[in-house]
C-alpha cells in the first residue's frame, strides 16, 4: 500500500520537474517548449507552503537543482580521466555544482515571493527576479554563466538575434517572461486573454524580427583569409602521458600539412593541443621547433592554444594558459602575438585558497601541480598578417560582453573572435554541444564571426549571426581539418556599444511593477 503524497511533497517534486523541463529546452535536447516550466516555477513560488517565504526559496532551489543537473552533468567527466584516483569525486562534484548554483534560483523565488506582485504583469516581476539572480550567477566570485535562460534558443535562429540588441541577459528576461506567461493561461477571464495575446505577439516578434535580420546577411568574400581549423581527436587519457608527446605532435603536424586547393593563411590548433609547455618546444635546439617550422609555409600563421611560463614577480615562474601566434618566416618561426587567459576556471585551473589546500593535502582537486596565473585584462591582439582578433580561451566564451569590454579598454575592435577550448574534458556528453551554442551567442552579441577549435569536437566556423557555416563542422570523436574563409564582421551591434543597458531597463521595469501595484492599492 502506498501513502498519498502530501501537498508539500507534490510541490517539491513539481519544482524539480520544472527545473528539468527548463534545462531540456537547451541544446542538444532542444525541447524549447520546456521554457513553459518557468510558468510552473512562478506558480510554485507564489503558492503558499508551510512557511511561505522559506517554501518559495526551497522550491526555487529544488528547481535549480533539476535545471543545473541537466545542464552541468558533464562535470563528472574530468574526474573520470584519472578514475582510479579521482573517480570517487564525480558524484560529489555534480551535487556541489548543481546544489550551489541552485542557490541563485532559490534567491530568485524568494525575491519574487517578497515582491508580492499580482495580476498578469507579475510575469515581468518573476522574469526580473530570476534574470537578476542569473546575472549574479555570472558575476559572483568568478562567475559561471553556463546555459543562461536566453541561450535555450538555438544560436543562429531568429529569436537568438535579439541578443545583438539586448544581450543574452536581456534575451533571458524575455524568455523567462514568455515561459512564465503560460501559467496565466489557467486563470480565468481577461488574464487568460491577455496572456494568450502576449505569448502570440512575443513569439511573432521574436521570429519576425530575427528572420528580417537574417535576411540581410552579408556573403563571405572570396578574398577573405582562409582559416584551417585542426582537430586531432586524441583521447584525453592518452594525451597527457609523457611518452605520447611525439604521437600527439605528429598528429597535429600531419593535419596541418594536409594538401588543399588553396593555402590556408591561418592555422588554428585548440586549447591544450600539446601536453607540453610551449617554451620547451620552441627552445633552441628542440627538434619540435624544427618540425613545426617545416609544417608551416612562408607567411602562414599558426595560432595555437598552449601552456607557457613567465617569470613570477616573487621569483620562480608563473604558468599561463595562452594563445600563441607563430609566423613562418625565412629563418624560422617568430612569435607575433600572445594572449594569456584572464578568466580562469576555479577548481580546474586554480584552487581557491590554494595555499591552504596544499597544507591540507587536497591539491589533487586541480589537475596541474601548480595554479595557472590569470593574464591581464583582455584586449584584442594584432598578429602580423592576421586581422585583429579577440581570443576567448574555453571558459571565457561563457561571458556576455567579454569582447566588447576588452575593446573599450583599448586596442580597438577585433575583426573576429577565436575560441580555443579543451572540450575533451566534457567527454561524449551534452557539454560540447552546449558550449558550442553558448560561444555562438558571443558572435551574435558582438556582430563578429568566431572560429572554434577543440581537440575532440565540436570545431567549426560561426558567422556574425551565430550560425555555424553549413558543412563546416568537425563533430565529437572526429579527426580532421576545416578549411574555410573567415566570414565578414558586421557593424558594431547595439549590445557591443551599450552593453547591458537594455537589460538594466528591463530590470527597472520589473522592480517598478510591484511598487506601482502597492501604491494603487494604498490609494
Amino acid at each position: 500500500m502506498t501513502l498519498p503524497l502530501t501537498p508539500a511533497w507534490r510541490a517539491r517534486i513539481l519544482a524539480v520537474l520544472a527545473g528539468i523541463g527548463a534545462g531540456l529546452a537547451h541544446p542538444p535536447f532542444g525541447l524549447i517548449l520546456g521554457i513553459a516550466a518557468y510558468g510552473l516555477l512562478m506558480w510554485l513560488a507564489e503558492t503558499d507552503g508551510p512557511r511561505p517565504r522559506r517554501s518559495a526559496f526551497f522550491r526555487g532551489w529544488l528547481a535549480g537543482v533539476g535545471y543545473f543537473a541537466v545542464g552541468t552533468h558533464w562535470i563528472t567527466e574530468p574526474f573520470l580521466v584519472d578514475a582510479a584516483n579521482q573517480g570517487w569525486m564525480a558524484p560529489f562534484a555534480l551535487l556541489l555544482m548543481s546544489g550551489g548554483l541552485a542557490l541563485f534560483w532559490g534567491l530568485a523565488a524568494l525575491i519574487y515571493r517578497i515582491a508580492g506582485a499580482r495580476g498578469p504583469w507579475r510575469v515581468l516581476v518573476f522574469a526580473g527576479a530570476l534574470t537578476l539572480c542569473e546575472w549574479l550567477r555570472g558575476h559572483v566570485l568568478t562567475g559561471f554563466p553556463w546555459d543562461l535562460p536566453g541561450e535555450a534558443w538555438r544560436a543562429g535562429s531568429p529569436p537568438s538575434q535579439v541578443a545583438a540588441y539586448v544581450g543574452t541577459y536581456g534575451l533571458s528576461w524575455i524568455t523567462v517572461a514568455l515561459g512564465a506567461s503560460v501559467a496565466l493561461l489557467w486563470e480565468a477571464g481577461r488574464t487568460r486573454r491577455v496572456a494568450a495575446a502576449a505569448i502570440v505577439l512575443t513569439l511573432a516578434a521574436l521570429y519576425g524580427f530575427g528572420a528580417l535580420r537574417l535576411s540581410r546577411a552579408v556573403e563571405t568574400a572570396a578574398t577573405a583569409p582562409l582559416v584551417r581549423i585542426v582537430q586531432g581527436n586524441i583521447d584525453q587519457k592518452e594525451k597527457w602521458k609523457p611518452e605520447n608527446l611525439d604521437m600527439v605532435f605528429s598528429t597535429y603536424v600531419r593535419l596541418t600539412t594536409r594538401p588543399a586547393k588553396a593555402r590556408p593563411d591561418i592555422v588554428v590548433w585548440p586549447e591544450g593541443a600539446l601536453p607540453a609547455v610551449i617554451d620547451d618546444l620552441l627552445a633552441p635546439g628542440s627538434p619540435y621547433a624544427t618540425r613545426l617550422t617545416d609544417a608551416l609555409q612562408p607567411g602562414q600563421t599558426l595560432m595555437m592554444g598552449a601552456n607557457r611560463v613567465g617569470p613570477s614577480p616573487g621569483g620562480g615562474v608563473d604558468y599561463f594558459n595562452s594563445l600563441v601566434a607563430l609566423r613562418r618566416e625565412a629563418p624560422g618561426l617568430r612569435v607575433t602575438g600572445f594572449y594569456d587567459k584572464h578568466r580562469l576556471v576555479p577548481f580546474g585551473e586554480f584552487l581557491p585558497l590554494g595555499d591552504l589546500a596544499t597544507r591540507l593535502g587536497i591539491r589533487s582537486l586541480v589537475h596541474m601541480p601548480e595554479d595557472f596565473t590569470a593574464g591581464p585584462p583582455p584586449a584584442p591582439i594584432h598578429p602580423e598578417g592576421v586581422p585583429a582578433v579577440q581570443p576567448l580561451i574555453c571558459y571565457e566564451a561563457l561571458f556576455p560582453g567579454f569582447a566588447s569590454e576588452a575593446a573599450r579598454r583599448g586596442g580597438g575592435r577585433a575583426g573576429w573572435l577565436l575560441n580555443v577550448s579543451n572540450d575533451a574534458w566534457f567527454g561524449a556528453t551534452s557539454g560540447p554541444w552546449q558550449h558550442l551554442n553558448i560561444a555562438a551567442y558571443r558572435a551574435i552579441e558582438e556582430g563578429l564571426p568566431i572560429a572554434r577549435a577543440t581537440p575532440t569536437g565540436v570545431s567549426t566556423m560561426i558567422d556574425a549571426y551565430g550560425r555555424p557555416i553549413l558543412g563546416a563542422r568537425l563533430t565529437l570523436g572526429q579527426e580532421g581539418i576545416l578549411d574555410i574563409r573567415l566570414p565578414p564582421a558586421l557593424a558594431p551591434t547595439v549590445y557591443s556599444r551599450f552593453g547591458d543597458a537594455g537589460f538594466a531597463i528591463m530590470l527597472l521595469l520589473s522592480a517598478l511593477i510591484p511598487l506601482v501595484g502597492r501604491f494603487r492599492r494604498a490609494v
Side-chain angles (χ1 to χ4, degrees), residues 104-489:
F104 291 98
W105 280 42
L107 177 61
L110 176 60
I111 292 173
Y112 174 69
R113 179 75 194 206
I114 292 173
R118 303 175 185 175
W121 291 104
R122 71 185 190 275
V123 297
L124 302 185
V125 181
F126 178 75
L130 185 57
T131 54
L132 170 63
C133 291
E134 286 290 85
W135 183 91
L136 291 174
R137 174 165 71 91
H139 291 79
V140 170
L141 300 178
T142 60
F144 188 68
W146 183 275
D147 275 0
L148 296 171
E151 291 166 344
W153 309 98
R154 178 179 51 82
S157 66
S160 71
Q161 302 306 306
V162 175
Y165 296 85
V166 296
T168 307
Y169 287 114
L171 181 56
S172 294
W173 187 91
I174 295 170
T175 302
V176 174
L178 177 64
S181 297
V182 174
L184 304 184
L185 297 178
W186 274 260
E187 299 187 9
R190 182 173 178 271
T191 296
R192 177 184 296 176
R193 294 192 298 272
V194 169
I199 291 170
V200 171
L201 291 174
T202 301
L203 286 172
L206 286 172
Y207 280 93
F209 171 80
L212 178 63
R213 186 171 190 264
L214 291 172
S215 70
R216 299 172 178 173
V218 181
E219 296 291 331
T220 301
T223 56
L226 183 63
V227 181
R228 171 167 289 189
I229 299 172
V230 179
Q231 182 170 298
N233 191 39
I234 297 169
D235 187 87
Q236 191 77 345
K237 297 177 183 178
E238 299 299 321
K239 185 178 72 175
W240 291 103
K241 294 178 180 179
E243 64 270 22
N244 288 341
L245 171 59
D246 192 74
M247 178 271 292
V248 174
F249 186 87
S250 297
T251 299
Y252 278 93
V253 167
R254 171 172 52 82
L255 294 171
T256 298
T257 57
R258 181 177 290 181
K261 293 181 179 179
R263 189 201 75 168
D265 302 292
I266 305 165
V267 179
V268 180
W269 291 5
E271 178 193 27
L274 303 178
V277 175
I278 189 66
D279 307 73
D280 296 335
L281 296 178
L282 299 181
S286 167
Y288 294 105
T290 302
R291 292 169 62 187
L292 190 56
T293 302
D294 293 341
L296 298 176
Q297 300 179 46
Q300 272 188 327
T301 293
L302 169 64
M303 306 189 73
M304 61 182 299
N307 297 337
R308 74 175 194 90
V309 298
S312 173
V317 296
D318 286 333
Y319 289 89
F320 298 93
N321 186 358
S322 306
L323 179 82
V324 180
L326 301 168
R327 183 177 175 85
R328 167 74 186 274
E329 295 180 343
L333 292 179
R334 181 165 63 90
V335 177
T336 60
F338 66 88
Y339 167 83
D340 294 326
K341 187 176 182 182
H342 178 65
R343 285 187 178 270
L344 300 178
V345 181
F347 300 103
E349 292 173 316
F350 79 98
L351 189 64
L353 303 176
D355 291 340
L356 176 61
T358 299
R359 291 195 294 269
L360 293 176
I362 58 173
R363 166 62 69 173
S364 60
L365 286 171
V366 177
H367 295 283
M368 294 291 290
E370 299 288 341
D371 290 343
F372 281 106
T373 298
I381 61 174
H382 301 76
E384 184 179 341
V386 176
V389 57
Q390 177 58 61
L392 305 172
I393 298 180
C394 193
Y395 176 68
E396 293 178 326
L398 273 60
F399 293 88
F402 188 89
S404 50
E405 290 172 8
R408 286 192 287 270
R409 292 189 189 98
R413 184 179 186 237
W416 59 302
L417 307 174
L418 176 55
N419 176 215
V420 293
S421 182
N422 191 0
D423 286 5
W425 289 115
F426 296 143
T429 67
S430 60
W433 298 104
Q434 291 171 347
H435 202 189
L436 169 66
N437 189 65
I438 293 167
Y441 267 89
R442 307 295 83 82
I444 300 170
E445 291 169 344
E446 305 296 338
L448 296 174
I450 178 169
R452 212 166 171 269
T454 71
T456 59
V458 182
S459 300
T460 189
M461 178 72 77
I462 298 166
D463 71 9
Y465 299 92
R467 302 176 300 183
I469 302 302
L470 187 64
R473 187 174 76 185
L474 294 167
T475 192
L476 292 178
Q478 182 180 358
E479 178 192 291
I481 59 170
L482 290 175
D483 286 349
I484 189 158
R485 297 205 176 270
L486 184 67

Side-chain angles (χ1 to χ4, degrees), residues 15 18 36-46 56 59-61 63-64 105 109 112 126 130:
Y38 293 117
L40 176 57
L41 177 56
M42 183 183 75
W43 176 77
L44 289 168
E46 63 194 21
R59 292 169 185 177
W61 180 80
W105 280 42
Y112 174 69
F126 178 75
L130 185 57

Side-chain angles (χ1 to χ4, degrees), residues 497-518:
R497 287 181 288 174
F498 299 104
D500 285 320
F503 175 56
I505 293 172
M506 295 174 176
L507 290 182
L508 179 61
L509 174 62
S510 295
L512 287 175
I513 289 171
L515 295 178
V516 170
R518 290 178 182 178

